[in-house]
Amino acid sequence: MERRESAQERLKELTERVAAVQTKVDDATARRDAAQAELDTESASVAKERELVAGSVPADLIKLYEKLREQQGGVGAARLYQRKCEGCHIELNITELNEVRAAAADTVVRCENCRRILVRTSESGL
Ligand SMILES: [Zn+2]
């Protein structure tokens, strides 16, 4: 008799623990699904923005960029930041910097090391 009550109590306790774990699983699943939906929305938004920007870039430059992107693990262009290519993280030497400095603003300049397109900004260190 006592053994049966003990077993029933243990069963009840385990059933409650299973229900508690299931609640946690349901909660985590709901948060995962919400995060996935948020990422899908953001991804669609970025893709649309990218399409708009790509439409304003000359076709030959897009072609070069896409080729480099494929060759360089998904990154075809990199910011030139404080004399460093942010694609390969190599600092340009003085000769390369002088060439970049001398290039017209609309000239496509590339990293001598990784060949990515270098994006010049006011923080390029030129
Ligand atoms: Zn580079």
Side-chain angles (χ1 to χ4, degrees):
M1 190 74 159
E2 199 173 294
R3 198 179 277 171
R4 182 185 284 174
E5 284 175 15
S6 176
Q8 285 175 336
E9 280 177 28
R10 182 80 178 128
L11 180 60
K12 183 181 172 214
E13 181 189 316
L14 290 173
T15 303
E16 288 170 359
R17 285 178 57 193
V18 167
V21 168
Q22 187 58 53
T23 300
K24 286 182 182 176
V25 168
D26 292 348
D27 183 51
T29 301
R31 283 186 280 124
R32 181 204 61 201
D33 291 349
Q36 184 63 56
E38 200 173 299
L39 289 173
D40 289 346
T41 301
E42 187 178 342
S43 176
S45 172
V46 169
K48 193 173 181 179
E49 190 179 329
R50 183 188 186 281
E51 202 173 295
L52 285 173
V53 171
S56 68
V57 176
D60 58 340
L61 183 53
I62 288 287
K63 193 174 171 185
L64 173 64
Y65 169 76
E66 292 295 347
K67 188 179 98 184
L68 291 169
R69 193 166 79 110
E70 198 177 301
Q71 293 170 349
Q72 298 290 344
V75 181
R79 181 171 68 156
L80 178 61
Y81 181 73
Q82 296 182 347
R83 299 182 303 273
K84 244 185 210 174
C85 166
E86 287 194 320
C88 64
H89 306 285
I90 301 291
E91 188 169 333
L92 276 66
N93 67 38
I94 193 68
T95 306
E96 294 161 346
L97 281 172
N98 285 334
E99 287 172 11
V100 173
R101 276 189 196 108
D106 63 347
T107 298
V108 175
V109 291
R110 297 177 58 186
C111 174
E112 289 295 324
N113 183 54
C114 69
R115 304 302 299 149
R116 288 183 177 97
I117 297 166
L118 286 172
V119 179
R120 292 172 278 176
T121 72
S122 61
E123 297 174 316
S124 291
L126 298 173

